[in-house]
Amino acid sequence: MRQLLLDLLPDSPPSLDNFVPGGNGETLTALTGWLAAKRPDVSFCLVGEAGSGRSHLLRASGFPYVDAGENPGLCGVQGAAALAVDHVEQLDEHGQIALFALFNQLKAGGGRLLTAASQPPRHLALREDLRTRLGSGLIYRLQPLSDAEKAAALAAQARERALKLPPEAIDYLLRHAPRDMRALSALIVALDRYTLEQQRPVTLPLLRQLLEAAARPSPNSP
């Protein structure tokens, strides 16, 4: 359902401005300062569970982005002044060797390496030399948003669009829609467009109708 919902919308690239920090204000401040070269550290590792916003922030960094979950060997990744590597725990042997070499190149050239993982580097099943390199930099943990923080963020996004979203509608979304904020935020945009097209206010039946429509296979699906 999440991908179908996002397919309803124009591309809205992740940015630092549209990241909902919740209790991660300190981490966001540290990352923003590091990206602005206010810290000399070569690497910055974001640690957190799925849905905590790790991938959002890596993509928002503006660095060339590679997902080790899709490219575990870092095939085709070239040396650059900066690099963002997601899901480093999924690197295979070749990818670990490549990232070790890239780390050393970035350090020698004054570059930056931004990584994300489910656990701190010392707990990852990686080569010891790579664990040591990643562990030598800044490491910050991202906390997932609570339901109350998600509800407050959704209410604020609805107000920005002059969309009347009653509390029971927000509660319904949190119980029946995808849980990550990117998908929930996409739903607010889709809901705004849907109510305008249908000329109807937000009601629970309308919400159910939208979610059912998003869950149906696309006519172009194989």
Side-chain angles (χ1 to χ4, degrees):
M1 181 192 292
R2 180 181 184 278
Q3 186 58 50
L4 288 169
L5 288 171
L6 296 179
D7 287 346
L8 292 173
L9 307 171
D11 186 30
S12 179
S15 71
L16 297 178
D17 289 335
N18 62 26
F19 178 73
V20 179
N24 297 304
E26 180 182 350
T27 296
L28 184 59
T29 298
L31 176 61
T32 302
W34 181 78
L35 291 172
K38 294 180 180 178
R39 294 288 301 266
D41 306 84
V42 175
S43 69
F44 193 115
C45 182
L46 289 167
V47 177
E49 63 186 61
S52 60
R54 297 174 305 170
S55 299
H56 181 117
L57 289 175
L58 261 65
R59 292 182 180 276
S61 70
F63 292 179
Y65 173 88
V66 58
D67 185 349
E70 299 177 355
N71 183 3
L74 298 187
C75 299
V77 178
Q78 303 295 323
L83 182 65
V85 181
D86 209 350
H87 303 109
V88 293
E89 67 271 27
Q90 298 186 42
L91 289 169
D92 63 20
E93 181 180 356
H94 298 291
Q96 293 177 44
I97 294 172
L99 187 57
F100 177 77
L102 286 165
F103 183 101
N104 292 334
Q105 291 172 22
L106 290 167
K107 184 175 182 179
R112 298 292 174 105
L113 174 65
L114 178 60
T115 60
S118 58
Q119 296 292 331
R122 67 179 182 275
H123 296 312
L124 299 178
L126 300 173
R127 292 165 49 113
E128 179 60 28
D129 52 7
L130 180 57
R131 279 204 307 267
T132 301
R133 294 295 191 279
L134 297 179
S136 68
L138 298 172
I139 302 171
Y140 279 81
R141 179 173 290 278
L142 285 168
Q143 302 296 333
L145 296 179
S146 67
D147 282 355
E149 289 169 333
K150 290 179 181 180
L154 293 178
Q157 292 171 10
R159 285 195 299 271
E160 290 174 0
R161 294 179 168 275
L163 175 66
K164 294 183 179 179
L165 193 63
E168 60 269 22
I170 294 177
D171 180 66
Y172 186 88
L173 286 175
L174 292 176
R175 286 187 289 111
H176 297 281
R179 300 285 295 171
D180 63 284
M181 273 306 302
R182 181 160 169 76
L184 287 169
S185 297
L187 256 175
I188 296 299
V189 181
L191 185 60
D192 187 32
R193 292 171 57 180
Y194 198 63
T195 55
L196 290 174
E197 291 171 1
Q198 299 293 319
Q199 292 294 301
R200 294 165 57 191
V202 177
T203 61
L204 294 185
L206 183 138
L207 270 180
R208 283 193 290 270
Q209 185 177 344
L210 175 61
L211 292 177
E212 288 170 1
R216 284 197 294 268
S218 167
N220 298 322
S221 298

